[in-house]
Amino acid sequence: MGSAEPSKDTSERGVRGHRTQAERSAHTRAALLDATIDCLIELGYARTSVHEICARAGVSKGAQQHHFTTKADLMAAAVEHLTHRIGEEIVDAAGSLPPGPQRVERGVELLWQGFSGTLSAAVMELWVAARTDAELKAAIRPVDRALGKSTLALFTSLTGESPSERTETLFWLTVNLIRGLALDAEIGGDAVRRKQLLEEWKRILVGTEAR
Amino acid sequence: MGSAEPSKDTSERGVRGHRTQAERSAHTRAALLDATIDCLIELGYARTSVHEICARAGVSKGAQQHHFTTKADLMAAAVEHLTHRIGEEIVDAAGSLPPGPQRVERGVELLWQGFSGTLSAAVMELWVAARTDAELKAAIRPVDRALGKSTLALFTSLTGESPSERTETLFWLTVNLIRGLALDAEIGGDAVRRKQLLEEWKRILVGTEAR
DNA sequence: TAGAAAACATTCCAATTGGAAGGTAAGTTC
DNA sequence: GAACTTACCTTCCAATTGGAATGTTTTCTA
């Protein structure tokens, strides 16, 4: 959701030493958003204050307020920034996966990597916070939906499945299972068992799909 | 949802006016814990303050501090109280389920009911908070583990499965899937699709198990 | 190059937070 | 029934919170 961009382009203008305003602005914005995510991962939502965010970003209180009027604003923008980063992460992982016949296994592994990392923990914080925060929820939902759809597209294209309704169902089952497992990981569940569960799920998927 | 009822006793002793100390103590404790859970569900962890909890419980600030020295103490105790209540909820639901040949379907339905209700939302709040709170995490883990095990026992006894390793794996897969779905429900995902996914999972389970 | 505007910095504040201190009443024990 | 223990209440405080007000620097435009 594009917030107001008063000037036109983010393109390479800074060949000379000086920075254009748009560049300065984008830079502080990014610093604030990254710091926000860091705080969410390290401190959790409850302990994340705008003071701390500003300190980590090396940005003054006023600058923060110039870019994001309220804390909810900042968090909403962080969601978007976050899902973009997760999307990139998944795409990167997809590119580095070796090709082979085991499409389904690869797909599951891919989703697991994308939805169980540290970035995912930050998303979890915001989701849970959003449950009781209507403003945040409204900001998160569309972005999350977009991430889901693009991931589904990537998933199907990677596994080479025809985009049938059944494939989609299996995809969402996988995503939800992985989210549950990610939660288990967060609270320090048994990693070995998680691995077993994931392997079993792959087996089930292959068996089910081949029917 | 049992919020604080300042005057009413847990056991039928109050025929006469006087209450024993143990009763008084247990009563305020329960009131505080219930109020804590209410706050977690309604406000979320971030917005839950001990002031608010005390107000809802109809208990003074000092009394709270007498029973639970610190906020983390209170939360830790709330976890236990919470898992007990969820356990009871599941047992109750199990008792009211009609007997029949569809054991697996019943079991899944049962787990869904237990792990997707409002109480589960409170657990989620505490889990996520515990990720960055070592004290809370230490308090939660054993209790959660106990809940998992007792639920597994109930599950196997209800479905009449032999407690094989495979059954256990399928159980944990179900639990984690349901937790993922519960998360989806919290942020306002599509309820119809969740229903579809759960039905598909039942089908898969039946097919897989019959092998 | 003057001045408008955006980006940024400093300072302050009202409100809320978790927790401590100190006092009172009720129950228990001998 | 007196000493003692537990349960409870009122009041207070230092720290932190999110946000507003106001001042300064940098970039853009005419």
Side-chain angles (χ1 to χ4, degrees):
Chain A
M1 54 193 58
S3 69
E5 286 286 86
S7 51
K8 350 152 103 189
D9 56 351
T10 17
S11 59
E12 314 304 325
R13 181 80 98 82
V15 185
R16 295 183 305 162
H18 284 298
R19 265 185 183 166
T20 172
Q21 288 221 73
E23 281 174 338
R24 285 211 306 160
S25 185
H27 184 261
T28 32
R29 254 186 89 95
L32 280 170
L33 293 178
D34 282 334
T36 302
I37 293 172
D38 282 352
C39 282
L40 285 176
I41 291 171
E42 197 173 315
L43 307 173
Y45 184 80
R47 283 199 260 262
T48 293
S49 71
V50 289
H51 284 279
E52 179 68 22
I53 292 173
C54 289
R56 293 194 181 208
V59 161
S60 77
K61 199 96 204 307
Q64 171 265 319
Q65 216 155 10
H66 176 74
H67 288 282
F68 308 98
T69 319
T70 169
K71 188 187 184 181
D73 268 356
L74 181 54
M75 289 298 162
V79 179
E80 201 177 0
H81 192 221
L82 197 43
T83 51
H84 281 333
R85 276 178 60 177
I86 290 183
E88 288 172 12
E89 214 178 44
I90 293 182
V91 170
D92 287 354
S96 67
L97 274 180
Q102 306 173 309
R103 311 154 319 180
V104 177
E105 286 87 338
R106 275 195 298 150
V108 172
E109 207 63 46
L110 194 62
L111 288 178
W112 170 250
Q113 283 175 26
F115 286 102
S116 71
T118 55
L119 287 183
S120 182
V123 173
M124 195 84 74
E125 293 281 342
L126 288 175
W127 269 347
V128 173
R131 185 182 67 87
T132 54
D133 187 327
E135 193 180 350
L136 201 55
K137 189 190 279 187
I140 286 185
R141 205 147 40 162
V143 179
D144 176 59
R145 219 163 272 224
L147 176 69
K149 284 192 178 174
S150 67
T151 310
L152 171 59
L154 179 66
F155 185 76
T156 50
S157 85
L158 190 91
T159 58
E161 296 294 321
S162 59
S164 69
E165 189 171 342
R166 176 156 185 89
T167 312
E168 195 167 329
T169 301
L170 293 179
F171 167 77
W172 286 115
L173 272 178
T174 306
V175 167
N176 280 288
L177 172 65
I178 283 179
R179 278 177 178 164
L181 286 173
L183 195 60
D184 180 68
E186 280 190 5
I187 63 170
D190 186 359
V192 175
R193 199 186 64 192
R194 273 199 305 280
K195 186 71 184 164
Q196 288 175 351
L197 291 179
L198 211 58
E199 291 304 321
E200 179 64 26
W201 173 243
K202 286 181 193 170
R203 247 172 276 137
I204 290 177
L205 260 189
V206 173
T208 308
E209 208 164 10
R211 248 188 240 168
Chain B
M1 206 114 319
S3 78
E5 285 286 87
S7 63
K8 171 138 196 178
D9 52 358
T10 8
S11 68
E12 310 304 325
R13 178 77 101 89
V15 184
R16 295 185 305 159
H18 283 301
R19 263 185 189 160
T20 171
Q21 288 219 75
E23 281 174 337
R24 286 210 307 157
S25 185
H27 183 261
T28 20
R29 255 186 87 94
L32 279 170
L33 293 178
D34 282 333
T36 302
I37 293 172
D38 282 354
C39 281
L40 285 176
I41 291 172
E42 198 172 315
L43 307 173
Y45 183 79
R47 281 200 261 263
T48 292
S49 72
V50 289
H51 284 279
E52 180 68 21
I53 292 174
C54 289
R56 293 192 182 212
V59 161
S60 77
K61 198 95 203 306
Q64 171 265 321
Q65 213 153 14
H66 176 72
H67 288 283
F68 309 97
T69 319
T70 167
K71 189 186 184 181
D73 269 357
L74 181 55
M75 289 298 161
V79 179
E80 201 174 1
H81 192 222
L82 196 44
T83 52
H84 282 332
R85 276 178 62 176
I86 290 183
E88 289 173 11
E89 213 180 44
I90 293 182
V91 170
D92 287 353
S96 68
L97 274 180
Q102 305 173 311
R103 311 156 319 185
V104 177
E105 286 88 337
R106 277 196 295 150
V108 171
E109 207 63 45
L110 194 63
L111 288 178
W112 171 249
Q113 283 175 27
F115 286 101
S116 71
T118 55
L119 287 182
S120 182
V123 174
M124 195 87 73
E125 293 281 341
L126 288 175
W127 270 345
V128 172
R131 185 182 65 90
T132 54
D133 186 328
E135 192 180 351
L136 202 55
K137 188 190 279 188
I140 285 185
R141 207 150 37 165
V143 179
D144 177 59
R145 220 164 273 222
L147 176 70
K149 284 192 178 173
S150 67
T151 310
L152 171 59
L154 179 67
F155 185 77
T156 51
S157 85
L158 190 92
T159 59
E161 296 294 322
S162 59
S164 68
E165 189 170 343
R166 175 154 185 91
T167 312
E168 196 167 331
T169 301
L170 293 180
F171 167 77
W172 285 115
L173 272 178
T174 306
V175 168
N176 281 289
L177 171 64
I178 283 179
R179 279 177 179 166
L181 287 173
L183 194 62
D184 180 68
E186 280 189 5
I187 62 169
D190 185 358
V192 175
R193 198 186 64 192
R194 273 198 306 279
K195 186 71 184 165
Q196 288 174 352
L197 292 180
L198 211 57
E199 291 303 321
E200 178 65 25
W201 173 243
K202 286 181 194 170
R203 248 171 276 139
I204 290 177
L205 261 188
V206 173
T208 308
E209 208 164 9
R211 247 187 241 169

